[in-house]
Amino acid sequence: SRVVAASLPPPRSLACSLLLLRGSARADFELSLHIYEYLAVTADRLSMDERVLVRHAFLLDYAGLSWKHLNPRIFFRLRPEIAILDAYYPEFVGTATCINAPNIFVHLWSIVSPWLSEATRARVTTVDQKHTRGVLQKLAATSSLPRLYGGAHDALPADVKTSLGVDDMLARLHK
């Protein structure tokens, strides 16, 4: 299998996250399903083109996360989405690397991880701030990392954005 790694530039991903948290729970859920379907179709298309299983690699940056950012209601919103991902898209996640994870993340993970299958939990890696830079250097060459993480890029390379349909997806989200 091959893992496709990509991420949205932080301001856009934050905007997408805020958009998901602003609407009704039902609207959020439906929007999330559309995003999951789009990403699953993208991985399926790449799998057919490459003739190997292509899964998504997620790099989740938790720098600055603290208790003030959390509202217990978020867990009620996340649980159905996590259940859908785990039940209907089990091969969707190749890896999820949680970087810059503060101590609070241990508590959050203890709440969320039981909602996931053992196979999915095994694909999640948590890295504290002290070890983040070293892990990133193992995941990708410095020349392909965003400037934010010590690399040379300010945004996704055009070919990656095109192949993943990032601009199309963002345009649909902002309609």
Side-chain angles (χ1 to χ4, degrees):
S1 75
R2 182 170 80 98
V3 176
V4 174
S7 65
L8 295 174
R12 287 190 181 161
S13 60
L14 179 59
C16 291
S17 298
L18 292 175
L19 176 67
L20 290 174
L21 294 174
R22 248 194 319 225
S24 70
R26 181 72 187 159
D28 291 349
F29 187 72
E30 289 176 9
L31 180 60
S32 294
L33 286 177
H34 287 288
I35 292 169
Y36 302 151
E37 281 295 316
Y38 178 80
L39 293 172
V41 167
T42 301
D44 288 346
R45 185 178 63 234
L46 288 169
S47 294
M48 288 187 295
D49 292 347
E50 300 283 330
R51 297 194 175 279
V52 295
L53 177 63
V54 173
R55 297 190 273 184
H56 290 276
F58 293 91
L59 182 62
L60 307 167
D61 190 350
Y62 289 96
L65 180 69
S66 70
W67 287 108
K68 71 180 181 181
H69 298 112
L70 300 176
N71 181 326
R73 290 182 296 181
I74 192 75
F75 295 107
F76 294 108
R77 284 187 159 183
L78 283 177
R79 190 169 187 170
E81 290 188 35
I82 290 172
I84 292 285
L85 276 172
D86 205 35
Y88 296 104
Y89 304 94
E91 295 300 320
F92 182 73
V93 177
T95 61
T97 305
C98 305
I99 59 170
N100 291 314
N103 292 335
I104 186 177
F105 190 81
V106 173
H107 300 292
L108 296 174
W109 184 243
S110 70
I111 294 168
V112 174
S113 63
W115 302 344
L116 300 169
S117 66
E118 182 60 38
T120 302
R121 280 195 305 264
R123 295 183 194 134
V124 177
T125 304
T126 303
V127 183
D128 63 17
Q129 185 176 10
K130 179 180 174 183
H131 296 98
T132 290
R133 181 74 46 131
V135 167
L136 288 174
Q137 290 172 345
K138 289 179 184 174
L139 289 174
T142 304
S143 62
S144 65
L145 287 172
R147 207 175 299 282
L148 174 67
Y149 300 116
H153 293 286
D154 290 320
L156 283 174
D159 62 326
V160 174
K161 286 174 69 173
T162 301
S163 69
L164 294 176
V166 171
D167 289 332
D168 293 338
M169 182 175 60
L170 288 172
R172 284 187 218 131
L173 285 173
H174 293 294
K175 282 185 179 181

